[in-house]
Amino acid sequence: MKSISSKADLAINGAAPAFSDKLHVGRPNMGDKAAFQKYVDQIFESRWLSNNGPLVQDLEQRIAEHHQVKHCVAMCNGTIALEIAIRALELSGEVILPSYTFIATAHALHWQEITPVFADIDPVTHCLDPEAVRKMITPKTTGIIGVHLWGHAAPVDELQQIADEHGLKLMFDAAHAFGCSYKGAMIGNFGEAEVLSFHATKFFNTFEGGAVLTNNDELAEKMRLMRNFGFAGMDKVIHPGTNGKMTEIHAAMGLVNLDNLNEVVHRNEENYRAYQQGINGLPGLSIYAFDENEKNNFQYVVMEVGDDCPVSRDAIIEALHAENILARKYFWPGCHKMLPYRELYPHAALLLENTKVVGEKVIVLPTGTELNDIRIELISSIIAEIISDR
Ligand code: T4K
């Protein structure tokens, strides 16, 4: 196996070489190690490790400013942040969400004995289709969770209109949408609340972590109580709660990574454009297009394999893996096909045709700061070869 270091490698024996190191989807973007070590010293000196420490407060303020939103409530991960937001909004009965999302969106409801009702998506944006949402409303529906998939905003205005018409609460799973916008306004300002994930594999990470963004003072206060067992002061519990706190070491990673954001977005965007250049035009293949008028983090590069592609999606993935390019199928086969939902709602698939079509054609390609134009040129040439070989 040969690693790629120069453009010359592209031409070896007229065939693309394999990568010696595996290229992953979701390799963490790492900030400055020396800056992180300084924070570690600070943490050791202060002996302040958790429970709303100064670094967590600093991180919350900077993330709120970045998203131009009033409150950022940091949590230990995005899933707990979803659960706390759902509980703080007092959702119950049935809540409508897409099936085409990471399983955590559905689990956060089921875990709280709320029925996740899966609505179909728009085949172009991969986000909820408002008309499909309307079809799923019943007297038991209390809320809608839109997912800003790949960082592309869900149809916020249309979903808000449906929520208003039916007296439902609207919130968003914004795990993919750190630093993204909708109609020019930053994500974090829509619905009742929006939930971020800072998992290692995300555009912005705190090792593990997450947060809820909201402009609602009362809701923010409630979630702060809920993430800390309901404590409102020493010996004073005033609300049911759990342990959803972020620690100082996680916040330190976040502060370091915040300083690195522009560089990461720039690299991701260059990678996305290099993939567009290399892939668009190959038979049956296209790169999912972001709205050029919006801010994006370009965290995910999504290749769609159409019916007119000579090679199947799965065969392309298999061939890429053989070249050490660990492309992924996210979020196949959809939450409704996973347990327990497959058994609980066996007929859900009947109304999820676009979910099926999209789930079967998506390949997420490696990107992030480990990649560059030359490596992407090589990945694209490998893909071109895979589909011309058959
Ligand atoms: N909502 C949505 C829409 C989400 O996408 C997510 C999380 C959530 C909610 C929940 O938020 P959190 O509770 O996670 O904060 C990953 C993540 O585990 C998950 O956080 C994420 N979505 C999901 C989209 O992707 P996998 O199954 O891809 O993880 P894994 O272990 O296969 O890692 C991917 C690749 O990254 C590997 O090939 C190796 C590499 N990697 C991974 C880690 C953790 C590294 O190089 N270093 C690392 O530290 O799920």
Side-chain angles (χ1 to χ4, degrees):
M1 295 273 180
K2 203 174 174 321
S3 74
I4 182 76
S5 57
S6 77
K7 273 192 177 172
D9 284 334
L10 284 169
I12 296 170
N13 299 327
F19 288 93
S20 58
D21 299 324
K22 289 184 169 35
L23 290 180
H24 300 259
V25 170
R27 287 290 276 171
N29 297 312
M30 307 294 284
D32 183 57
K33 195 167 152 193
F36 181 71
Q37 274 166 344
K38 271 196 192 157
Y39 281 120
V40 174
D41 291 344
Q42 198 177 313
I43 291 168
F44 269 72
E45 277 156 29
S46 70
R47 293 190 186 228
W48 198 280
L49 307 186
S50 187
N51 292 12
N52 204 25
L55 298 182
V56 166
Q57 291 181 37
D58 196 9
L59 183 72
E60 287 185 334
Q61 194 184 332
R62 284 185 61 187
I63 290 176
E65 276 166 17
H66 190 81
H67 293 88
Q68 293 157 17
V69 62
K70 237 169 145 184
H71 303 282
C72 167
V73 185
M75 309 267 183
C76 56
N77 61 57
T79 305
I80 293 288
L82 277 170
E83 286 176 17
I84 288 182
I86 287 166
R87 199 172 274 265
L89 287 170
E90 297 173 16
L91 300 184
S92 62
E94 296 176 359
V95 171
I96 300 170
L97 74 162
S99 170
Y100 195 63
T101 177
F102 187 59
I103 197 71
T105 326
H107 279 352
L109 292 165
H110 177 76
W111 198 251
Q112 311 196 58
E113 297 182 7
I114 298 168
T115 302
V117 174
F118 300 115
D120 211 2
I121 52 169
D122 178 311
V124 176
T125 65
H126 304 182
C127 294
L128 271 179
D129 168 6
E131 288 316 308
V133 170
R134 281 185 190 280
K135 284 188 199 147
M136 308 313 280
I137 296 173
T138 76
K140 289 187 188 160
T141 310
T142 60
I144 302 168
I145 303 182
V147 179
H148 303 310
L149 208 81
W150 317 130
H152 185 293
V156 171
D157 288 347
E158 291 84 347
L159 293 178
Q160 189 62 62
Q161 195 182 328
I162 296 171
D164 292 345
E165 279 171 25
H166 294 268
L168 307 175
K169 286 182 176 154
L170 174 64
M171 61 174 273
F172 292 97
D173 178 336
H176 297 183
F178 190 109
C180 299
S181 69
Y182 171 75
K183 296 192 176 171
M186 293 302 281
I187 291 299
N189 289 282
F190 302 107
E192 307 278 345
E194 305 206 57
V195 175
L196 299 172
S197 163
F198 309 147
H199 182 258
T201 56
K202 290 288 183 290
F203 156 75
F204 166 81
N205 84 80
T206 59
F207 297 110
E208 287 270 3
V212 188
L213 305 180
T214 182
N215 286 312
N216 181 329
D217 299 340
E218 218 176 291
L219 188 69
E221 191 47 39
K222 196 170 168 185
M223 292 188 296
R224 287 185 191 284
L225 283 171
M226 291 171 94
R227 75 169 174 189
N228 187 26
F229 315 101
F231 273 106
M234 210 180 282
D235 308 324
K236 192 176 168 198
V237 174
I238 61 165
H239 204 281
T242 183
N243 185 351
K245 289 168 283 147
M246 176 182 274
T247 74
E248 289 291 274
I249 198 76
H250 292 87
M253 186 66 163
L255 289 168
V256 166
N257 282 333
L258 271 185
D259 289 336
N260 200 31
L261 274 190
N262 290 344
E263 200 183 300
V264 177
V265 181
H266 177 71
R267 186 66 262 150
N268 280 353
E269 182 169 359
E270 297 277 300
N271 291 348
Y272 163 70
R273 302 214 183 279
Y275 273 122
Q276 282 186 316
Q277 184 105 18
I279 300 296
N280 289 345
L282 293 177
L285 296 182
S286 58
I287 296 295
Y288 174 97
F290 290 107
D291 186 339
E292 298 287 338
N293 297 315
E294 302 291 357
K295 283 197 173 182
N296 209 285
N297 56 37
F298 304 97
Q299 164 177 205
Y300 293 102
V301 174
V302 179
M303 183 170 77
E304 297 184 55
V305 183
D307 290 340
D308 47 339
C309 182
V311 181
S312 75
R313 186 273 301 266
D314 289 4
I316 295 175
I317 290 193
E318 201 182 313
L320 285 172
H321 282 212
E323 300 285 347
N324 282 338
I325 302 163
L326 304 186
R328 297 285 296 260
K329 289 185 200 173
Y330 295 153
F331 293 102
W332 179 85
C335 297
H336 70 291
K337 290 278 190 183
M338 308 263 199
L339 290 171
Y341 312 110
R342 193 175 71 213
E343 284 180 356
L344 288 172
Y345 319 114
H347 304 300
L350 293 174
L351 290 175
L352 298 174
E353 186 52 30
N354 291 337
T355 302
K356 180 173 187 291
V357 170
V358 171
E360 286 175 356
K361 71 176 179 180
V362 157
I363 298 179
V364 178
L365 296 167
T367 183
T369 44
E370 273 194 340
L371 275 291
N372 56 36
D373 296 11
I374 295 169
R375 295 188 125 204
I376 287 165
E377 204 176 310
L378 176 55
I379 296 172
S380 301
S381 72
I382 290 172
I383 292 171
E385 232 178 84
I386 291 168
I387 64 167
S388 67
D389 260 9
R390 316 284 159 122

